Amino acid sequence: MLVHDALPMRVVFGPGAVDRVAEEADRLGLRRLLVLSTPRQGGLAARVADLLGDRAVGTFDGARMHVPVTTVAAAEDVAAAVRADGCLAIGGGSTIGLAKALSLRLGLPSVVVPTTYAGSEMTPVWGLTEAGRKTTGRDPVVLPSSVVYDPELTHALPAAVSGPSGLNAVAHAVEALYAPDGTPVISAMAERGVRDLAAALPLVVADGADASARSVALEGAWLCGACLGATTMGLHHKLCHVLGGMLDLPHAETHAIVLPHVAAFNLPAAPEADAVLRRALGTDDVPGALRALARAVRVPDGLQALGVRHEDLARVADEVLAAPYSNPLAPTRADLETILEAAWRG
Ligand code: NAD
């Protein structure tokens, strides 16, 4: 029996789409928006506040990686002071994560303008970090009410961020293809998303202002993010979550490095997923093609290049073994050590 729950989200996609944010706010009946960004994207936040006119009642540009509760509390104070009735988040997964936290705690709906390929805007998954521990959960209330994808905003995304971020999206699609709750809709989105990103990422890294490649990559990220939003993730996401949380590693790079190694372990046990990925990547060797793509977009070479010490790998394996997750086959401790060793060496 198949069950496919379509998530209730509106997407506006296209060059210049950011100019439509005021229209999106009006459609949702939002009159008092708090604009959210990271400090680095404060200029973009100001531009969006301008576009919103008097619908923007405040700006909070303190979004940070992993959504620290202290940051959420500070944003909540601003939202209360300006009597916000919604948020507009412009940025990557960190800024979108802050909007989700405000939706969860204050019930504020959000308009989201993603500027990376992480895909968080397509998922009901939230995360909060307190005293070094990240808690995550699923709640439909955190789903953005409207997502405005404007590929022109991604031209400024540096090559060193674009490549790993795009492979982070590819990882969502790979795991969706062998998820227990996969459906033909998910498979179709995953295949298209992986094909888009594999074709566009090397072009984007070579020339960040390649408008057509930027558009294809962002479309791929949208599709891969939607796969993540609709399915239960497996070993790859579990491993990256543990690595990131325990060793404080950069999110997208960790995904990009680990993906080929988990694919090499899982795909022999997931022949249908393997067949879809072979088509999407035009290859008989999916892990090899994922490794080649990572190299082509200059992903750091192995976890050791991120500063991971070899002796940390055993603790990571312990934590992954202790937690339940879904996967085509259950790795033994020796399997995990082999995967981690290979990912560490690169
Ligand atoms: P990010 O949001 O942390 O952004 C990285 C940096 O790049 C920031 O300084 C940001 O301001 C800057 N930046 C973003 N877009 C830019 C652009 N177009 N031009 C110039 N600079 C730009 O990175 P990310 O990889 O998008 O997000 C990672 C976070 O998202 C992690 O905390 C991860 O856990 C979370 N995430 C959550 C989900 C989910 O479903 N909840 C899914 C994927 C990722």
Side-chain angles (χ1 to χ4, degrees):
M1 180 89 69
L2 283 175
V3 177
H4 183 81
D5 266 327
L7 296 173
M9 265 186 299
R10 175 179 162 88
V11 169
V12 178
F13 189 107
V18 70
D19 292 342
R20 302 241 321 220
V21 286
E23 219 174 306
E24 289 306 296
D26 289 346
R27 244 192 113 258
L28 297 165
L30 300 175
R31 300 258 167 274
R32 304 185 60 79
L33 288 149
L34 176 63
V35 178
L36 306 174
S37 77
T38 59
R40 223 164 97 184
Q41 292 183 291
L44 206 49
R47 182 176 155 205
V48 167
D50 249 18
L51 287 164
L52 287 170
D54 59 9
R55 300 170 193 83
V57 291
T59 300
F60 179 86
D61 67 1
R64 286 176 46 205
M65 190 88 153
H66 302 314
V67 200
V69 285
T70 46
T71 304
V72 178
E76 271 182 287
D77 287 348
V78 179
V82 300
R83 289 178 294 114
D85 65 2
C87 294
L88 188 143
I90 184 154
S94 299
T95 307
I96 297 166
L98 178 59
K100 286 177 162 182
L102 294 181
S103 297
L104 190 69
R105 287 162 64 135
L106 305 177
L108 295 181
S110 64
V111 176
V112 165
V113 186
T115 62
T116 70
Y117 304 135
S120 174
E121 66 281 357
M122 284 290 126
T123 85
V125 179
W126 54 265
L128 282 173
T129 302
E130 183 161 25
R133 273 200 79 83
K134 187 163 180 177
T135 317
T136 60
R138 254 175 200 267
D139 192 322
V141 79
V142 308
L143 272 177
S145 303
S146 173
V147 179
V148 177
Y149 284 113
D150 185 340
E152 284 176 356
L153 299 180
T154 62
H155 290 201
L157 192 65
V161 185
S162 298
S165 183
L167 279 158
N168 182 192
V170 169
H172 304 333
V174 169
E175 292 237 294
L177 282 166
Y178 50 64
D181 35 13
T183 69
V185 179
I186 303 296
S187 297
M189 289 197 297
E191 183 171 349
R192 172 77 180 262
V194 172
R195 180 175 294 135
D196 280 355
L197 282 160
L201 286 180
L203 301 174
V204 154
V205 167
D207 174 10
D210 181 334
S212 135
R214 283 294 191 186
S215 184
V216 173
L218 192 60
E219 180 189 281
W222 163 21
L223 293 169
C224 293
C227 291
L228 176 70
T231 55
T232 307
M233 295 291 110
L235 174 63
H236 171 81
H237 281 75
K238 184 79 222 168
L239 206 47
C240 291
H241 183 84
V242 171
L243 277 162
M246 190 181 276
L247 306 175
D248 195 24
L249 301 183
H251 176 85
E253 283 82 353
T254 306
H255 274 266
I257 291 169
V258 169
L259 180 63
H261 304 287
V262 174
F265 176 73
N266 273 344
L267 292 177
E272 286 178 26
D274 192 38
V276 172
L277 291 167
R278 284 173 187 230
R279 278 201 305 275
L281 294 166
T283 180
D284 287 338
D285 172 13
V286 172
L290 292 171
R291 241 190 323 269
L293 181 58
R295 218 167 281 137
V297 301
R298 291 182 248 140
V299 166
D301 206 11
L303 293 173
Q304 57 178 333
L306 300 185
V308 175
R309 294 171 311 169
H310 193 261
E311 60 264 35
D312 291 329
L313 301 182
R315 281 194 299 141
V316 173
D318 286 342
E319 193 163 324
V320 173
L321 277 172
Y325 56 88
S326 104
N327 203 50
L329 74 169
T332 61
R333 194 190 166 85
D335 293 331
L336 281 177
E337 281 172 358
T338 306
I339 294 167
L340 281 165
E341 177 77 30
W344 184 77
R345 289 196 185 287

